[in-house]
Structure formats: C-alpha cells, structure tokens
Amino acid sequence: MTSLAQLAHAVAALSAGDLLPARRSGEETRLAYPLRLVDAYPLVEAVDDSGSAGGFGPWAAVVVDGAGTMLGVPLVAVSEQPLVVRRALPGDGAATGLVDRLCRPGRLRIAAGAFGLYALDAGLLPPREVVGEKALPVDQTHESVVVDGAGVVKWAVHLSSREGEPPAVRVLRHLSAVGFDETPATLGHLVWHGAARPGDKPTELLLASASAYLPGARDGWDWYVDDLVAHLAGGRTAAEVVAPAPLIGGLVARLHLAMATASRENQQPVRAASMSDAWWWRDDAVATLDEALAVTGGDAGARLAARAVRARAALDRIAAVSETFVTMVHGDLHVGQILRWAGGLVVNDFDGNPVLSAEQQAAMQPPARDVAGMLRSLDHVGRIVDKRSGYLHTVAIERWIARVREEFLRAYRAELAAAGQSALLDERLLGPFEVEQECRELVYAARHLPHWVYVPDAALSALLPEES
Ligand code: ADP
Ligand code: MG
C-alpha cells in the first residue's frame, strides 16, 4: 500500500501540466509552486494484504499550490518504486472507481477520514453495456469522463471553498428528495472536509459528482443553434424551431416548483426576501455594470456607455422590489444546461455560476434569476445564428427571438399557475436581471472569451434600444 507520505512526496515533484486536465484552448493555467498534497482518497480498495495492491491508485487527491489555490485531482501511479504519479486520464480507472464505490449496493454512505461519499440515486445507474472510460469534450472548468457508457463523472479542478455544504450537493439532494426527475439521475458526490493549512477554517469542497449518462445528449448551444440554422436554410419549419421554447418553459417551472417543495431536510424551501436582500442584489448588479463599463472596449464599449444611464435606472429598480420570494435556484441557467436526448429535455449542471462569489452562489435567489438567464440565452442563440449566417436573416431571427421569448414565458407562467404558485415569479425583477446578465456576459467576455463580446453587445443593444 502507498502511504499518504509517499504520495505527498510524489506530488511535490510534479508540475502543473502533470496535474491539470488538457486544455482544449491550449491555454495554460498558472499554478504557483510548491505543490503540496493535502489529502488523498483511494478510489479502488486494496484487494489483498500482500503489500502491493492499491499501490497504483487511483486516488482522488486534494492539492494546494504555493498561492493557496485548492485543486481536486484524480491521481494514478505510473511507477511504484520509486513512486511516480500523474493526473489520471480517462482509461486509468479513477472515474470507474468512483462510480463503483457510489453504486455498490448496500453502502449508501462511505466516509473515509475527511472524505465523504454521498450516494444519491445510485440504483438508477443504467445497465452498463460497454466497458471503459471515455472523455466528454466539455468546457475548461471541469473534466468529465463517461464510465461504461452509463455514468458521467465530473472532476472539479479548482475547488471553491465556502462554508457549509456545496450548493450542488444540497440542491441535487433536495431535487432527489422531492422526486424531480427531469435531470440526469444523480449517482452521488465525493466531497472533502477540511482546511488546506492548519488554523484555516475548514470547508467542504466538492471534488467530483457522478450522474447517469444520457447517450446522444446535446446541449442547447448545440442543438438549438443547429435547429435554427436548419430553419433558415429551409430544413425546419418556423413552428419546429419555436416548439422547444415552451417545453423549456414548462421544464424550468417544474424545476422551480420542485425547489419550492418542502422535504424532510428542507422544511422551509421558500422565504420572503428582505429589503436588505433587494439592496444587496441591486448593489451587485450595479457593480457588475460598472465593471462591464470599465472592461468593455471598442464599439461595444461605446454602445454600452451610451446605454449606461438607462441600464443603471433598470438595475436601481431592483432595490424597490418588496415582498418577493426566494428559493434555491439553478443559478447558472441557460440553454447550454438543457440537454436534449432520446428521452426529451432535461436540465443539467447544478454547479452554479463560476463568476459569482461563494456567498452569492450559496444564497437563495428569486426564481426570476433563472428565468432571466434562460431568456437571455434564447436571445443569444439568435445572435450566434445571426452572425453565423452573415447577418442575412436578422429580421427573421429577431422575430424568432420575440416568439421563443413569448412562448417560453407563457409556458413557464402557465405551469406555475396550474400549481397555484404564480407568486414564485416576480415579473418586476425580470427586466433588471436580464440587463444584469448581459453585463455579466460582457465582463466574462472581456476577461476570458473576447470573441463572445459580439453576443452580449448585440443582445444588450436590442434590450435597451437606442432612443429616437
Ligand atoms: P460544464 O460545467 O462544463 O458546463 P456540464 O455538466 O454542463 O459541464 O456538462 C457539459 C456537457 O457535457 C453538456 O453540455 C453535455 O453535452 C455533456 N454532459 C454532461 N452531463 C451529461 C450526461 N449526464 N449525459 C450526457 N452528456 C452529458
Ligand atoms: Mg454546463
């Protein structure tokens, strides 16, 4: 067996490239040295006591870099004498080890030291028809691995530290408890509870989550963009490209109704927001606008500046909203979180919005937050297609945007009304939250994704049209 001390010694010899997943963009994440192993969890149990079993891992490790950044890393040994390790790649068995531990019948929660393994709907793992691990080509904040064509393990890379249970764990446990099943079944989570340095406040960090794999699933940035492109080329009718919007509206409403349903663990899932909550939202929104103004250059910056007074006035209205309700929300809702597969549409990825602070992510929010996010992303699908089609169909696309917006909202409201819960959506917050969302997109584009600027630029210009 490999001891923690041996593993620590091996980790100290690594460079960032050995620990981080390969970046699709080729961009190198900077880590500060030295790298220090904080803790490790064997994903495969030692099978005998000959002294060698388990020596090659894989492990789920918590590593801290010289600047105090906490990293989650699946590790595997490439040699045992001397011990040399590297990040486990798809095929090395780390994700399979986690799925096996979560789905082994009869062991619902296995904790080892500071690690917690929370199995949730493990019984729902689909039959495993193929064997082996395969990478999912996903974005850069995580690495996802498909196990046996049946499960998906999402490894967190940068571990965001906050007090209390990670929001994704809390939310998915709640959704499972109230029977919401329009999301890939959650198999469970691996968390680590502790502090990187002695004396630091211990926090609970999400290292990995596992869910059922939906074969052929595509996200809305993919399927909705393709459908709209096909429509403009004459391959799909107007009705066909509007039809998903009310389905998404109903789905999001049922998600919010589930969030607002009491469970044994969460007996007060809805509460009235206070005036100070509203001021907090307003101040955050205005700070985001100011940041967008500061970082958005060129023509987009000029168009934003020309709208700054009206944008600020819209955001100020948030503070005046009284008697509104908050619940748990998705927190990062957009068409990219709506997966379409043979079984229909599901909502995915409850990890929260990476650009928000831990405090903002953990807070209960008005459901209008999610609704605004989805509305903006439907608009963005149109902007993407508009650019891709050389701005030859702008009028038709604007019309499509207006239609899907209407249909999404109509279905969302109808679903809440049918449940007698119309008050969950505070319409007064929609407009301001939509403006705030576009400001967030501008900040995100300026900082991380410059080629995205055209989307919030066009969307915000349409949201706050030039006064004539
Ligand atoms: P990210 O944090 O990178 O956005 P997501 O959890 O949203 O990660 O997943 C990214 C993509 O991976 C999705 O858009 C989808 O294409 C695919 N994916 C995620 N979960 C599943 C799943 N359970 N089944 C099939 N594909 C999935
Ligand atoms: Mg996502």
Side-chain angles (χ1 to χ4, degrees), residues 165 167 169-178 255-271 326-329 362-365:
E165 202 169 27
V169 176
R170 196 181 57 229
V171 167
L172 288 168
R173 184 181 311 128
H174 175 82
L175 291 177
S176 164
V178 300
L255 172 67
H256 288 157
L257 290 169
M259 296 289 203
T261 300
S263 70
R264 203 149 50 118
E265 275 184 57
N266 184 5
Q267 300 195 352
Q268 218 206 339
V270 183
R271 68 170 175 79
V326 292
T327 62
M328 287 187 281
V329 295
M364 288 165 83
Q365 289 280 338

Side-chain angles (χ1 to χ4, degrees), residues 139 142 154 219 221 330 332 334 336-337 339 348-350:
D139 77 6
H142 306 96
K154 183 165 166 180
D219 78 50
W221 293 128
H330 181 284
D332 187 23
H334 53 73
Q337 314 288 31
L339 304 184
N348 188 44
D349 188 3
F350 290 81

Side-chain angles (χ1 to χ4, degrees), residues 308-327:
V309 171
R310 276 178 302 140
R312 201 176 300 272
L315 302 181
D316 279 338
R317 291 205 303 273
I318 300 173
V321 167
S322 59
E323 288 170 35
T324 196
F325 294 105
V326 292
T327 62

Side-chain angles (χ1 to χ4, degrees), residues 136-144 146 150-152 154 184-185 211-222 332 334 336-339 348-352:
L136 255 190
V138 295
D139 77 6
Q140 303 170 14
T141 42
H142 306 96
E143 183 180 45
S144 295
V146 182
V152 183
K154 183 165 166 180
S211 57
Y213 176 62
L214 309 180
R218 296 170 69 208
D219 78 50
W221 293 128
D222 207 10
D332 187 23
H334 53 73
Q337 314 288 31
I338 304 294
L339 304 184
N348 188 44
D349 188 3
F350 290 81
D351 288 342

Side-chain angles (χ1 to χ4, degrees), residues 229-256:
V229 167
H231 165 59
L232 295 174
R236 273 177 193 269
T237 65
E240 279 172 331
V241 286
V242 171
L247 298 180
I248 298 173
L251 170 59
V252 174
R254 288 187 296 280
L255 172 67
H256 288 157

Side-chain angles (χ1 to χ4, degrees), residues 102-113:
L102 283 168
C103 300
R104 193 173 306 151
R107 302 191 54 200
L108 281 186
R109 181 174 165 169
I110 315 155

